[in-house]
Amino acid sequence: MTAAEQLRNEQADFVAGVAGELTGFLTARQSVMSGISPDIEPIMGSISNLVTGGKRLRALMCYWGWRGAGGEAGASQVVTAGAALELFQAAALIHDDIIDRSDTRRGGPSVHRRFSQLHTAQGWALDSERFGQAAAILAGDLCLSFSEEAFTDIGERAASGSRARLIFNLMRAEVMAGQYLDVLEEVAGPVRDRAGAVGRAQSIIRFKSAKYSTEHPLALGGALAGATNELLRGYSAFALPLGEAFQLRDDVLGVFGDPLTTGKPAGDDLREGKRTVLVALALDQASPEESAFIDASLGSPDLSDADILEIRRIIEDSGALQATEVLINEFGSAAFDALDGLELEELPKTALRRLAEATVSRAS
């Protein structure tokens, strides 16, 4: 077997293991929840649907962090950790879609939209939108609870006070803080000092997305396998800039991505009012009139296709898109340089390199 085949087979086995772990976990919880009431089924179904498929980026970062630190291939502890990360990711997506008023996720209705549609289809009383949001908040909360249960199932390596537990706890707290900063910037950004907008946007992506997408999962896998502090520092030097490149690429796709590939409408980030690094750069570099147009347009759910095309033009003509691409390349280069400096066996190092390449150049 070639090294490439070994990598492909081992990674496929892990992904299948995480899928099986999630199925078994949710099936067991389904029996408990159905004992409360069969009406809980749509909530369980929405969670199950969301954790089925996806790129498994966070779980894979955790796995190769584990393997890079000497962990055994396919060990149950890292499979369970991968499942816990996927459940946390699902919870974050559910809540993020509510906050962003996003009607779609992976090409289909978001969870709160599914519940609104259920309300309408059943002819229930009161407001369908309010019901949809309330039900989705509860689904996200339940998913958060499940992620904690799954992580605890790892056992002693994830016990209170362990490095893995500290990383898992910090990851969750930072995501909530970053999410709040994102919401705050949407409402406060227009009246704040524009000169600090890029810095604020970079702080948001670091804590809302970058650290929990790559840095913390990689460190979590390493900690579970008993990684040294030196290796964990090396993991961070690689994974943090990679996570920042990942989110910057996401921001570009949110404005310029192909809906058939991203699974979201064109310009969705603009309708949601996201004040990303891309937008902050445009506000800083465009003419006063163009900046005023962007400010007035962001966050409007009725933003027309023509308005989106105009904002895209401003972003491109101002140099903001090019500047963002430069940042992506700089962060990517920093990540690859740090990876080159890591003393890892060839298999995990190659796997991390491939994950990094796919992350920086992705189209969805």
Side-chain angles (χ1 to χ4, degrees):
M1 181 185 299
T2 66
E5 289 172 335
Q6 182 184 351
L7 192 160
R8 185 167 56 251
N9 291 342
E10 186 172 324
Q11 186 157 291
D13 287 345
F14 170 71
V15 169
V18 170
E21 181 86 5
L22 286 167
T23 298
F25 181 94
L26 292 175
T27 298
R29 273 60 185 180
Q30 173 65 53
S31 65
V32 175
M33 302 305 284
S34 61
I36 298 172
S37 170
D39 287 336
I40 306 296
E41 168 56 32
I43 287 183
M44 294 300 296
S46 68
I47 293 173
S48 179
N49 179 70
L50 207 50
V51 300
T52 300
K55 299 180 182 70
R56 306 290 196 211
L57 171 64
R58 293 154 190 84
L60 285 168
M61 293 295 290
C62 181
Y63 180 71
W64 291 114
W66 162 273
R67 291 287 280 124
E72 179 185 356
S76 62
Q77 297 98 323
V78 72
V79 172
T80 301
L85 285 168
E86 290 296 313
L87 287 164
F88 178 70
Q89 162 72 350
L93 292 178
I94 293 170
H95 286 159
D96 195 48
D97 284 342
I98 298 169
I99 292 168
D100 291 340
R101 304 180 300 278
S102 182
D103 290 338
T104 59
R105 169 63 61 183
R106 295 175 182 166
S110 53
V111 172
H112 66 277
R113 180 56 55 206
R114 288 181 186 275
F115 279 107
S116 294
Q117 292 171 349
L118 175 64
H119 179 286
T120 300
Q122 296 295 324
W124 290 335
L126 304 180
D127 184 67
S128 63
E129 296 294 316
R130 181 174 174 80
F131 171 77
Q133 291 179 4
I137 289 170
L138 294 170
D141 288 349
L142 184 59
C143 211
L144 277 174
S145 177
F146 285 164
S147 75
E148 170 64 25
E149 281 189 63
F151 192 75
T152 302
D153 284 345
I154 294 170
E156 185 178 348
R157 294 177 191 238
S160 177
S162 67
R163 282 189 302 175
R165 167 58 66 177
L166 294 174
I167 292 168
F168 190 68
N169 289 348
L170 178 62
M171 176 189 72
R172 294 182 297 169
E174 285 183 345
V175 169
M176 303 309 167
Q179 184 68 270
Y180 174 73
L181 292 177
D182 192 24
V183 172
L184 177 64
E185 187 65 15
E186 288 181 13
V187 297
V191 298
R192 283 181 160 181
D193 179 15
R194 186 168 289 169
V198 174
R200 293 194 300 271
Q202 288 178 319
S203 180
I204 289 168
I205 67 171
R206 172 168 290 197
F207 292 103
K208 178 187 173 183
S209 176
K211 292 173 78 69
Y212 110 93
S213 294
T214 53
E215 184 190 26
H216 288 320
L218 186 65
L220 183 61
L224 287 170
T228 65
N229 289 333
E230 181 181 4
L231 180 56
L232 292 179
R233 285 192 293 270
Y235 276 176
S236 179
F238 158 67
L240 183 55
L242 177 64
E244 291 178 313
F246 170 86
Q247 185 56 47
L248 288 171
R249 175 60 63 205
D250 195 63
D251 293 342
V252 171
L253 291 173
V255 177
F256 294 95
D258 181 353
L260 294 177
T261 305
T262 64
K264 282 183 168 287
D268 212 33
D269 280 6
L270 302 175
R271 292 190 177 94
E272 293 168 4
K274 291 186 178 180
R275 291 183 173 263
T276 61
V277 170
L278 179 69
V279 168
L281 286 167
L283 289 169
D284 183 57
Q285 298 176 15
S287 70
E289 295 78 15
E290 291 172 331
S291 294
F293 177 76
I294 294 175
D295 257 336
S297 302
L298 283 177
S300 171
D302 299 322
L303 204 61
S304 69
D305 290 343
D307 289 336
I308 288 174
L309 287 174
E310 175 62 9
I311 296 174
R312 283 177 169 175
R313 182 199 64 77
I314 294 170
I315 290 173
E316 289 191 82
D317 290 354
S318 68
L321 178 59
Q322 182 181 2
T324 303
E325 292 290 350
V326 169
L327 282 174
I328 292 171
N329 289 333
E330 288 177 349
F331 282 127
S333 294
F336 288 120
D337 287 346
L339 180 60
D340 287 339
L342 282 174
E343 295 185 4
L344 298 176
E345 291 186 359
E346 191 60 32
L347 186 67
K349 196 165 190 174
T350 300
L352 289 173
R353 181 173 297 280
R354 291 187 180 180
L355 279 176
E357 289 169 349
T359 294
V360 172
S361 63
R362 68 198 176 96
S364 64

Coordinates of all heavy atoms in Angstrom, one line a residue, residues 272-339:
E272 N -27.3 39.9 5.2 CA -27.3 39.6 6.7 C -26.6 40.7 7.4 O -26.6 40.8 8.7 CB -26.6 38.3 6.9 CG -27.4 37.1 6.4 CD -26.6 35.8 6.4 OE1 -25.4 35.8 6.9 OE2 -27.1 34.8 5.9
G273 N -25.9 41.6 6.7 CA -25.2 42.8 7.4 C -23.9 42.5 8.0 O -23.4 43.2 8.9
K274 N -23.2 41.4 7.5 CA -21.9 41.0 8.1 C -20.9 42.0 7.8 O -20.6 42.3 6.6 CB -21.5 39.6 7.6 CG -22.4 38.5 8.1 CD -21.8 37.2 7.7 CE -22.7 36.0 8.3 NZ -22.1 34.7 7.9
R275 N -20.2 42.6 8.8 CA -19.1 43.5 8.6 C -17.8 42.8 8.7 O -17.1 42.8 9.7 CB -19.3 44.7 9.7 CG -20.5 45.5 9.4 CD -20.6 46.7 10.3 NE -21.7 47.5 9.7 CZ -21.6 48.6 8.9 NH1 -20.4 49.0 8.6 NH2 -22.6 49.2 8.5
T276 N -17.5 42.1 7.6 CA -16.3 41.3 7.6 C -15.1 42.1 7.3 O -15.2 43.3 7.0 CB -16.5 40.2 6.5 OG1 -16.7 41.0 5.2 CG2 -17.7 39.4 6.7
V277 N -13.9 41.5 7.3 CA -12.7 42.2 6.9 C -12.8 42.7 5.5 O -12.4 43.8 5.1 CB -11.5 41.2 7.0 CG1 -10.2 41.8 6.4 CG2 -11.2 40.9 8.5
L278 N -13.4 41.9 4.6 CA -13.6 42.3 3.2 C -14.4 43.6 3.1 O -14.1 44.5 2.4 CB -14.4 41.2 2.4 CG -14.7 41.4 1.0 CD1 -13.5 41.5 0.1 CD2 -15.7 40.3 0.5
V279 N -15.5 43.6 3.9 CA -16.4 44.8 3.9 C -15.7 46.0 4.5 O -15.7 47.1 4.1 CB -17.7 44.5 4.6 CG1 -18.5 45.8 4.9 CG2 -18.6 43.6 3.7
A280 N -15.0 45.7 5.6 CA -14.3 46.8 6.3 C -13.2 47.4 5.4 O -13.0 48.7 5.4 CB -13.6 46.2 7.6
L281 N -12.5 46.6 4.7 CA -11.5 47.1 3.7 C -12.2 48.0 2.7 O -11.6 49.0 2.3 CB -10.7 46.0 3.1 CG -9.7 45.3 4.0 CD1 -9.2 44.0 3.4 CD2 -8.5 46.2 4.3
A282 N -13.3 47.6 2.2 CA -14.0 48.3 1.2 C -14.5 49.7 1.7 O -14.3 50.7 1.1 CB -15.2 47.6 0.7
L283 N -15.0 49.7 3.0 CA -15.4 50.9 3.6 C -14.3 51.9 3.8 O -14.4 53.1 3.7 CB -16.1 50.6 4.9 CG -17.5 50.0 4.9 CD1 -17.9 49.5 6.3 CD2 -18.5 50.9 4.3
D284 N -13.1 51.3 4.0 CA -11.9 52.2 4.2 C -11.3 52.7 2.9 O -10.8 53.8 2.9 CB -10.9 51.3 5.0 CG -9.6 52.1 5.3 OD1 -9.8 53.2 6.0 OD2 -8.5 51.7 4.9
Q285 N -11.4 51.9 1.9 CA -10.7 52.3 0.6 C -11.6 52.9 -0.5 O -11.1 53.5 -1.4 CB -10.0 51.0 0.1 CG -9.0 50.4 1.0 CD -8.3 49.1 0.6 OE1 -8.5 48.8 -0.6 NE2 -7.7 48.4 1.4
A286 N -12.9 52.7 -0.3 CA -13.8 53.3 -1.4 C -14.0 54.8 -1.2 O -13.6 55.4 -0.2 CB -15.1 52.6 -1.3
S287 N -14.6 55.4 -2.1 CA -14.9 56.8 -2.0 C -16.0 57.0 -0.9 O -16.7 56.1 -0.6 CB -15.4 57.4 -3.4 OG -16.7 56.8 -3.6
P288 N -16.1 58.3 -0.4 CA -17.1 58.5 0.6 C -18.5 58.2 0.2 O -19.3 57.6 1.0 CB -16.9 60.0 0.9 CG -15.5 60.3 0.5 CD -15.2 59.4 -0.6
E289 N -18.8 58.4 -1.1 CA -20.1 58.1 -1.6 C -20.4 56.6 -1.6 O -21.4 56.1 -1.3 CB -20.3 58.8 -3.0 CG -20.3 60.3 -3.0 CD -18.9 60.9 -2.9 OE1 -18.0 60.1 -3.1 OE2 -18.8 62.1 -2.6
E290 N -19.3 55.9 -2.1 CA -19.5 54.5 -2.2 C -19.5 53.8 -0.8 O -20.3 52.9 -0.6 CB -18.3 53.9 -3.0 CG -18.3 54.3 -4.5 CD -17.0 53.9 -5.2 OE1 -16.0 53.8 -4.5 OE2 -17.1 53.6 -6.4
S291 N -18.7 54.3 0.1 CA -18.8 53.8 1.5 C -20.2 54.0 2.1 O -20.7 53.2 2.8 CB -17.7 54.5 2.3 OG -16.4 54.1 1.9
A292 N -20.7 55.2 1.8 CA -22.1 55.5 2.4 C -23.1 54.6 1.8 O -24.0 54.2 2.5 CB -22.4 57.0 2.0
F293 N -22.9 54.2 0.5 CA -23.9 53.3 -0.1 C -23.8 51.9 0.5 O -24.8 51.3 0.8 CB -23.6 53.2 -1.6 CG -24.5 52.2 -2.3 CD1 -25.8 52.5 -2.6 CD2 -24.0 50.9 -2.7 CE1 -26.6 51.6 -3.3 CE2 -24.8 50.0 -3.3 CZ -26.1 50.3 -3.6
I294 N -22.6 51.4 0.8 CA -22.4 50.1 1.5 C -23.0 50.2 2.9 O -23.8 49.3 3.3 CB -20.9 49.8 1.6 CG1 -20.4 49.5 0.2 CG2 -20.8 48.5 2.4 CD1 -18.9 49.2 0.1
D295 N -22.7 51.3 3.6 CA -23.3 51.4 5.0 C -24.8 51.4 5.0 O -25.4 50.7 5.8 CB -22.8 52.7 5.6 CG -21.7 52.5 6.6 OD1 -21.5 51.4 7.1 OD2 -20.9 53.5 6.8
A296 N -25.4 52.0 4.0 CA -26.9 52.1 4.0 C -27.5 50.8 3.5 O -28.7 50.5 3.8 CB -27.3 53.3 3.0
S297 N -26.7 50.0 2.8 CA -27.3 48.8 2.2 C -27.1 47.5 3.1 O -27.9 46.6 3.0 CB -26.6 48.5 0.8 OG -26.8 49.6 -0.1
L298 N -26.0 47.5 3.8 CA -25.7 46.3 4.6 C -26.9 46.0 5.6 O -27.4 46.8 6.3 CB -24.5 46.5 5.4 CG -23.1 46.4 4.7 CD1 -22.0 46.7 5.7 CD2 -23.0 45.0 4.1
G299 N -27.3 44.7 5.6 CA -28.3 44.2 6.6 C -29.7 44.4 6.1 O -30.6 44.1 6.8
S300 N -29.9 44.8 4.8 CA -31.2 45.0 4.3 C -31.6 43.6 3.7 O -31.1 43.2 2.7 CB -31.3 46.1 3.2 OG -32.5 46.0 2.6
P301 N -32.7 43.0 4.2 CA -33.1 41.7 3.6 C -33.7 41.9 2.2 O -33.8 40.9 1.5 CB -34.2 41.2 4.6 CG -34.7 42.5 5.3 CD -33.5 43.4 5.4
D302 N -34.1 43.1 1.9 CA -34.7 43.4 0.6 C -33.6 43.9 -0.4 O -34.0 44.4 -1.5 CB -35.8 44.4 0.7 CG -36.9 43.9 1.6 OD1 -37.2 42.7 1.6 OD2 -37.4 44.7 2.4
L303 N -32.4 43.7 -0.1 CA -31.3 44.1 -1.0 C -31.5 43.5 -2.4 O -31.6 42.3 -2.5 CB -30.0 43.8 -0.4 CG -28.7 44.6 -0.9 CD1 -28.9 46.0 -0.5 CD2 -27.5 44.0 -0.2
S304 N -31.6 44.3 -3.4 CA -31.8 43.8 -4.8 C -30.6 43.2 -5.4 O -29.4 43.5 -4.9 CB -32.3 44.9 -5.7 OG -31.3 45.9 -5.9
D305 N -30.8 42.4 -6.4 CA -29.6 41.9 -7.1 C -28.7 43.0 -7.7 O -27.5 42.9 -7.7 CB -30.1 41.0 -8.3 CG -30.7 39.7 -7.8 OD1 -30.5 39.3 -6.6 OD2 -31.4 39.0 -8.5
A306 N -29.4 44.1 -8.2 CA -28.6 45.2 -8.7 C -27.8 45.9 -7.6 O -26.6 46.3 -7.9 CB -29.6 46.2 -9.3
D307 N -28.3 46.0 -6.4 CA -27.5 46.5 -5.3 C -26.3 45.6 -4.9 O -25.3 46.1 -4.6 CB -28.5 46.7 -4.0 CG -29.5 47.8 -4.2 OD1 -29.2 48.7 -5.0 OD2 -30.5 47.7 -3.5
I308 N -26.6 44.3 -5.0 CA -25.5 43.4 -4.7 C -24.4 43.5 -5.7 O -23.2 43.6 -5.4 CB -26.0 42.0 -4.6 CG1 -26.9 41.8 -3.3 CG2 -24.9 41.0 -4.6 CD1 -27.5 40.5 -3.2
L309 N -24.8 43.6 -6.9 CA -23.8 43.8 -8.0 C -23.0 45.1 -7.8 O -21.8 45.1 -8.1 CB -24.5 43.8 -9.4 CG -25.0 42.4 -9.9 CD1 -25.8 42.6 -11.2 CD2 -23.8 41.5 -10.1
E310 N -23.7 46.1 -7.4 CA -23.0 47.4 -7.2 C -22.0 47.3 -6.0 O -20.9 47.9 -6.1 CB -24.0 48.5 -6.9 CG -23.4 49.9 -6.6 CD -22.6 50.5 -7.7 OE1 -22.5 50.0 -8.8 OE2 -21.9 51.5 -7.4
I311 N -22.4 46.7 -4.9 CA -21.5 46.5 -3.8 C -20.3 45.7 -4.2 O -19.1 45.9 -3.8 CB -22.2 45.9 -2.6 CG1 -23.3 46.8 -2.1 CG2 -21.2 45.6 -1.5 CD1 -24.2 46.3 -1.0
R312 N -20.6 44.6 -5.0 CA -19.4 43.8 -5.5 C -18.5 44.7 -6.3 O -17.3 44.5 -6.2 CB -20.0 42.7 -6.4 CG -20.6 41.5 -5.6 CD -21.2 40.5 -6.6 NE -21.5 39.3 -6.0 CZ -22.1 38.3 -6.6 NH1 -22.4 38.4 -7.9 NH2 -22.4 37.1 -6.0
R313 N -19.0 45.5 -7.2 CA -18.2 46.4 -8.0 C -17.3 47.3 -7.1 O -16.1 47.4 -7.3 CB -19.0 47.3 -8.9 CG -18.2 48.2 -9.8 CD -19.0 49.3 -10.4 NE -19.5 50.2 -9.4 CZ -18.7 51.1 -8.8 NH1 -17.4 51.2 -9.1 NH2 -19.1 52.0 -7.9
I314 N -17.9 47.9 -6.1 CA -17.2 48.8 -5.2 C -16.1 48.0 -4.5 O -14.9 48.5 -4.4 CB -18.1 49.4 -4.1 CG1 -19.1 50.3 -4.8 CG2 -17.4 50.2 -3.1 CD1 -20.3 50.8 -3.9
I315 N -16.4 46.8 -4.0 CA -15.4 46.0 -3.3 C -14.2 45.7 -4.2 O -13.0 45.7 -3.8 CB -16.0 44.7 -2.8 CG1 -17.0 45.0 -1.6 CG2 -15.0 43.7 -2.3 CD1 -17.8 43.8 -1.1
E316 N -14.5 45.3 -5.5 CA -13.4 45.0 -6.4 C -12.7 46.3 -6.8 O -11.4 46.3 -6.8 CB -14.0 44.4 -7.7 CG -14.5 43.0 -7.4 CD -14.9 42.2 -8.7 OE1 -13.9 41.7 -9.4 OE2 -16.0 42.2 -9.1
D317 N -13.4 47.3 -7.2 CA -12.7 48.6 -7.7 C -11.9 49.3 -6.6 O -10.9 49.9 -6.9 CB -13.7 49.5 -8.3 CG -14.3 49.0 -9.6 OD1 -13.9 48.0 -10.1 OD2 -15.3 49.6 -10.1
S318 N -12.3 49.1 -5.4 CA -11.6 49.8 -4.3 C -10.3 49.1 -3.9 O -9.5 49.6 -3.2 CB -12.5 49.9 -3.0 OG -12.7 48.6 -2.5
G319 N -10.2 47.9 -4.4 CA -9.0 47.1 -4.1 C -9.2 46.2 -2.8 O -8.3 45.5 -2.4
A320 N -10.4 46.2 -2.3 CA -10.7 45.4 -1.0 C -10.6 43.9 -1.3 O -10.1 43.2 -0.5 CB -12.0 45.8 -0.5
L321 N -11.1 43.5 -2.4 CA -11.1 42.1 -2.8 C -9.6 41.6 -2.9 O -9.2 40.6 -2.4 CB -11.9 41.8 -4.0 CG -11.8 40.3 -4.5 CD1 -12.4 39.4 -3.4 CD2 -12.6 40.1 -5.8
Q322 N -8.8 42.4 -3.7 CA -7.4 42.0 -3.8 C -6.7 42.0 -2.5 O -5.9 41.2 -2.2 CB -6.8 43.0 -4.8 CG -5.3 42.7 -5.1 CD -4.7 43.7 -6.0 OE1 -5.3 44.7 -6.4 NE2 -3.4 43.5 -6.4
A323 N -7.0 43.0 -1.7 CA -6.3 43.1 -0.4 C -6.7 41.9 0.5 O -5.8 41.4 1.2 CB -6.7 44.4 0.4
T324 N -7.9 41.4 0.4 CA -8.3 40.2 1.2 C -7.6 39.0 0.7 O -7.2 38.1 1.4 CB -9.8 40.1 1.1 OG1 -10.5 41.2 1.6 CG2 -10.3 38.9 1.9
E325 N -7.5 38.9 -0.7 CA -6.8 37.8 -1.2 C -5.3 37.8 -0.8 O -4.7 36.7 -0.5 CB -6.8 37.8 -2.8 CG -8.2 37.5 -3.3 CD -8.7 36.1 -3.1 OE1 -7.9 35.2 -2.7 OE2 -9.9 35.8 -3.4
V326 N -4.7 38.9 -0.7 CA -3.3 39.1 -0.2 C -3.2 38.6 1.2 O -2.3 37.8 1.6 CB -2.8 40.5 -0.3 CG1 -1.5 40.7 0.5 CG2 -2.6 40.9 -1.7
L327 N -4.2 38.9 2.1 CA -4.2 38.5 3.5 C -4.4 37.0 3.5 O -3.7 36.3 4.3 CB -5.4 39.1 4.2 CG -5.2 40.6 4.7 CD1 -6.5 41.1 5.3 CD2 -4.1 40.7 5.7
I328 N -5.3 36.4 2.7 CA -5.4 34.9 2.7 C -4.1 34.3 2.3 O -3.7 33.3 3.0 CB -6.5 34.5 1.6 CG1 -7.9 35.0 2.1 CG2 -6.5 33.0 1.4 CD1 -9.0 34.8 1.1
N329 N -3.4 34.8 1.3 CA -2.1 34.2 0.9 C -1.1 34.3 2.0 O -0.3 33.4 2.3 CB -1.6 34.9 -0.3 CG -2.4 34.5 -1.6 OD1 -3.0 33.4 -1.6 ND2 -2.5 35.3 -2.6
E330 N -1.1 35.5 2.7 CA -0.1 35.7 3.8 C -0.4 34.7 5.0 O 0.5 34.1 5.5 CB -0.2 37.2 4.3 CG 0.4 38.1 3.3 CD 0.2 39.6 3.8 OE1 -0.5 39.8 4.8 OE2 0.9 40.5 3.2
F331 N -1.7 34.6 5.4 CA -2.0 33.7 6.4 C -1.7 32.2 6.0 O -1.2 31.4 6.8 CB -3.5 33.8 6.8 CG -3.8 35.0 7.7 CD1 -4.8 35.9 7.4 CD2 -3.1 35.2 8.9 CE1 -5.0 37.0 8.2 CE2 -3.4 36.3 9.7 CZ -4.3 37.2 9.3
G332 N -2.0 31.9 4.8 CA -1.7 30.6 4.3 C -0.2 30.3 4.3 O 0.2 29.2 4.7
S333 N 0.5 31.2 3.8 CA 2.0 31.0 3.8 C 2.5 30.9 5.2 O 3.4 30.0 5.5 CB 2.7 32.2 3.2 OG 2.3 32.3 1.8
A334 N 2.0 31.6 6.2 CA 2.5 31.5 7.6 C 2.1 30.1 8.1 O 2.9 29.5 8.9 CB 1.8 32.6 8.4
A335 N 0.9 29.6 7.7 CA 0.5 28.3 8.2 C 1.4 27.2 7.6 O 1.9 26.3 8.4 CB -0.9 28.0 7.8
F336 N 1.7 27.3 6.3 CA 2.6 26.3 5.7 C 4.0 26.3 6.2 O 4.7 25.3 6.4 CB 2.5 26.4 4.2 CG 1.2 26.0 3.6 CD1 0.5 26.9 2.9 CD2 0.8 24.7 3.7 CE1 -0.8 26.5 2.3 CE2 -0.4 24.3 3.2 CZ -1.2 25.2 2.4
D337 N 4.5 27.5 6.5 CA 5.8 27.7 7.0 C 5.9 27.0 8.4 O 6.9 26.3 8.7 CB 6.2 29.1 7.1 CG 6.6 29.8 5.8 OD1 6.7 29.0 4.8 OD2 6.6 31.0 5.7
A338 N 4.9 27.3 9.2 CA 4.9 26.7 10.6 C 4.7 25.1 10.5 O 5.4 24.4 11.3 CB 3.7 27.2 11.4
L339 N 3.9 24.6 9.5 CA 3.8 23.2 9.4 C 5.1 22.6 9.0 O 5.5 21.5 9.5 CB 2.8 22.9 8.3 CG 2.5 21.4 8.0 CD1 2.0 20.7 9.2 CD2 1.5 21.3 6.9

